[in-house]
């Protein structure tokens, strides 16, 4: 009788057995196709608190009923970054579980402020475009528009477009040119020269707002007006990425991308180990920025890019540039647009994106 667990027999069995595939390759997506994702989870207060706690997002409106009520929320809503991760999480199995880099996201919109725990999600994506990658023949580049709905009412909660590199089933035939690899010496020399001259490109003065209210951003932007100055500052906090942030947070939002939990597969990838989910990196940087502002509501994000891998042991810091501050007809708040950059302990940017939020005024 065959001993299937004999090591040679088992190795042969593994070699011959078909692997039941999960996820989709580049070839599986058709432009214009609509993909209805499996239902995903019911938003929970526990999940929201886990996400917000681990990413240092401590705005009490997402923790305490009395503060939520003061801010005009019916009950304590789930944190917007957790909502985003849950919408994206439900889409990963169909869109990006095969692996490949999360390159960026555009046009993130929060359609309903204050989404309550207990809301069941329905998530849908449309394949917006597909392109070959000229630098990486083993991958293609796919952009989807994803929308998360309240399953009970059909109301849109959040939407965005995101772009990933997605493995091809069959790598493109190439002449070997442009396959990536390490930077040549002359490229490295160029990089050094450009870094040396980069400081010269910065405005003469980098100004920080006095406080975190709308008026503080308006006043700092007014001060910078007409001068060689920008409103740009860094945040003191850092968060070292650990097993919880790398694997637990994405898995708790049903994100099955192997990059975050399968060290065996990732040992053969460019990072050599598991990497942080882009939305964890982003959420930590936004948490640092929000800790230095009086946020009333998240409005939108755009031009989000993931510049480099984050692995366990890396520390994520935040840098913010205030771009604009506008009066609104909303009582007690004005609208501010920022650019946020997450960077690691080597001062290398790992994420950047713009964000518009309603910022409370001084009473
Ligand atoms: C991904 C990188 C390794 C790429 O770096 P680099 O080698 O410098 O390449 P390029 O910048 O030239 O980009 C390669 C090609 O990709 C196209 N590209 C890049 N960004 C976009 C974009 N926003 N939209 C469309 N196309 C884009 C370029 O044009 C190039 O095309 P081509 O020349 O034809 O090949 C590096 O950036 C990197 O390491 N980034 C970090 C990635 C990361 O860590 N992401 C987060 C973790 S993974 C994750 O979160 C997965 C998630 O759970 C999920 O399921 O999605």
């Amino acid at each position: 009788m065959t001993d299937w667990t004999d090591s040679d027999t088992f190795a042969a069995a593994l070699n011959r057995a078909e692997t039941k595939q999960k996820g989709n390759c580049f070839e599986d997506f058709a432009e214009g196709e609509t993909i209805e994702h499996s239902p995903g989870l019911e938003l929970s207060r526990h999940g929201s608190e886990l996400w917000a706690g681990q990413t240092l997002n401590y705005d009490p409106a997402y923790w305490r009923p009395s503060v939520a009520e003061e801010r005009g929320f019916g009950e304590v809503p789930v944190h917007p970054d957790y909502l985003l991760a849950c919408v994206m999480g439900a889409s990963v199995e169909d869109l990006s579980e095969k692996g490949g880099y999360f390159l960026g996201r555009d046009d993130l919109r929060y359609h309903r402020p204050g989404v309550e725990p207990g809301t069941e999600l329905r998530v849908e994506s449309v394949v917006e475009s597909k392109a070959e990658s000229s630098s990486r023949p083993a991958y293609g580049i796919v952009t989807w528009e994803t929308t998360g709905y309240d399953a009970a009412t059909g109301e849109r909660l959040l939407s965005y477009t995101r772009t990933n590199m997605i493995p091809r089933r069959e790598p493109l035939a190439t002449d070997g040119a442009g396959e990536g690899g390490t930077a040549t010496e002359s490229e490295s020399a160029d990089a050094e020269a450009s870094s040396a001259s980069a400081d010269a490109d910065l405005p003469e003065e980098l100004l920080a707002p006095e406080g975190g209210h709308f008026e503080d951003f308006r006043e700092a932007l007014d001060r910078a007006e007409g001068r060689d100055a920008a409103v740009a500052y860094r945040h003191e906090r850092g968060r070292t990425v650990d097993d919880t942030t790398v694997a637990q947070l994405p898995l708790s939002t049903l994100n099955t991308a192997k990059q975050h939990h399968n060290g065996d597969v990732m040992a053969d990838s460019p990072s050599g180990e598991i990497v942080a989910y882009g939305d964890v990196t982003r959420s930590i940087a936004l948490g640092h920025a929000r800790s230095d502002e009086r946020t009333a509501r998240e409005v939108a994000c755009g031009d989000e890019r993931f510049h480099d891998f984050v692995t366990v042991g890396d520390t994520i810091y935040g840098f913010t540039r205030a771009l604009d501050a506008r009066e609104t007809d909303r009582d007690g708040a004005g609208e501010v647009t920022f650019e946020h950059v997450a960077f690691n302990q080597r001062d290398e940017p790992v994420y950047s994106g713009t964000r518009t939020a309603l910022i409370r005024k001084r009473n």
Side-chain angles (χ1 to χ4, degrees):
M1 214 164 80
T2 306
D3 176 1
W4 284 77
T5 58
D6 166 78
S7 53
D8 288 343
T9 309
F10 187 60
L14 281 185
N15 208 17
R16 284 172 44 199
E18 178 187 320
T19 301
K20 303 291 278 180
Q21 296 290 319
K22 284 267 182 287
N24 289 302
C25 292
F26 176 73
E27 291 86 343
D28 299 322
F29 296 104
E31 278 179 359
E33 175 193 11
T34 299
I35 302 165
E36 184 75 31
H37 303 298
S38 81
L41 42 69
E42 177 186 296
L43 300 174
S44 73
R45 185 149 175 196
H46 167 73
S48 175
E49 289 182 350
L50 174 71
W51 184 285
Q54 289 294 332
T55 56
L56 285 90
N57 276 283
Y58 297 153
D59 182 342
Y62 300 100
W63 298 84
R64 293 173 71 107
S66 55
V67 181
E69 203 184 325
E70 270 167 38
R71 296 267 201 93
F73 295 123
E75 59 174 298
V76 176
V78 297
H79 194 277
D81 294 358
Y82 167 71
L83 172 66
L84 171 62
C86 291
V87 169
M88 179 150 151
S91 78
V92 166
E93 183 173 5
D94 294 323
L95 306 188
S96 51
E97 176 160 347
K98 271 275 175 267
Y101 316 96
F102 180 8
L103 293 172
R105 182 171 44 218
D106 292 284
D107 300 325
L108 169 62
R109 292 276 179 285
Y110 302 92
H111 300 290
R112 183 166 104 198
V115 178
E116 305 79 24
T119 304
E120 289 190 8
L121 296 177
R122 181 171 82 72
V123 181
E124 179 184 278
S125 298
V126 177
V127 183
E128 202 169 81
S129 64
K130 288 176 66 172
E132 289 171 356
S133 166
S134 52
S135 58
R136 288 178 174 73
Y139 294 86
I141 295 167
V142 187
T143 299
W144 309 273
E145 182 176 5
T146 296
T147 308
Y149 299 89
D150 180 330
T153 63
E155 189 187 352
R156 263 190 327 163
L157 302 177
L158 181 149
S159 61
Y160 57 82
T161 53
R162 88 161 147 132
T163 301
N164 276 51
M165 280 199 169
I166 296 296
R168 302 180 70 103
R169 198 164 282 114
E170 297 296 337
L172 266 187
T174 66
D175 58 5
E179 291 205 28
T182 53
T184 62
E185 274 176 28
S186 88
E187 279 168 340
S188 304
D190 286 352
E192 263 174 42
S194 100
S195 135
S197 65
D199 196 45
D201 293 341
L202 285 174
E204 200 167 299
E205 293 174 278
L206 300 187
L207 309 175
E210 293 276 311
H213 287 100
F214 172 76
E215 295 87 341
D216 296 308
F217 294 105
R218 185 61 275 157
E219 184 275 331
L221 285 161
D222 288 345
R223 249 190 307 144
E225 183 85 37
R227 287 160 54 176
D228 187 15
V231 180
Y233 49 103
R234 53 196 287 182
H235 308 281
E236 182 174 355
R237 285 179 180 162
R239 169 71 161 108
T240 303
V241 169
D242 55 14
D243 288 339
T244 302
T245 31
V246 165
Q248 188 185 357
L249 292 189
L251 288 172
S252 72
T253 58
L254 310 187
N255 180 331
T256 51
K258 55 177 70 98
Q259 292 99 310
H260 318 309
H261 62 264
N262 187 334
D264 180 37
V265 167
M266 293 304 287
D268 286 333
S269 75
S271 62
E273 58 183 302
I274 58 174
V275 300
Y277 170 28
D279 276 329
V280 168
T281 305
R282 161 195 190 269
S283 193
I284 292 171
L286 267 49
H288 295 334
R290 290 172 183 136
S291 75
D292 290 325
E293 67 186 42
R294 304 297 181 111
T295 328
R297 293 269 197 286
E298 297 297 316
V299 176
C301 289
D303 296 326
E304 296 187 278
R305 299 289 176 266
F306 296 96
H307 302 280
D308 212 341
F309 298 118
V310 173
T311 56
V312 170
D314 283 348
T315 303
I316 303 301
Y317 296 97
F319 177 92
T320 293
R321 206 151 61 87
L323 304 178
D324 191 20
R326 298 167 297 279
E327 291 287 347
T328 64
D329 54 7
R330 298 182 69 113
D331 270 357
E335 199 169 79
V336 182
T337 298
F338 304 96
E339 180 185 48
H340 300 294
V341 180
F343 62 97
N344 63 22
Q345 65 281 10
R346 294 179 296 279
D347 293 349
E348 296 158 344
V350 291
Y351 159 87
S352 64
T354 60
R355 167 174 161 262
T356 298
L358 290 177
I359 304 294
R360 283 178 283 150
K361 292 183 174 172
R362 274 192 220 98
N363 285 326

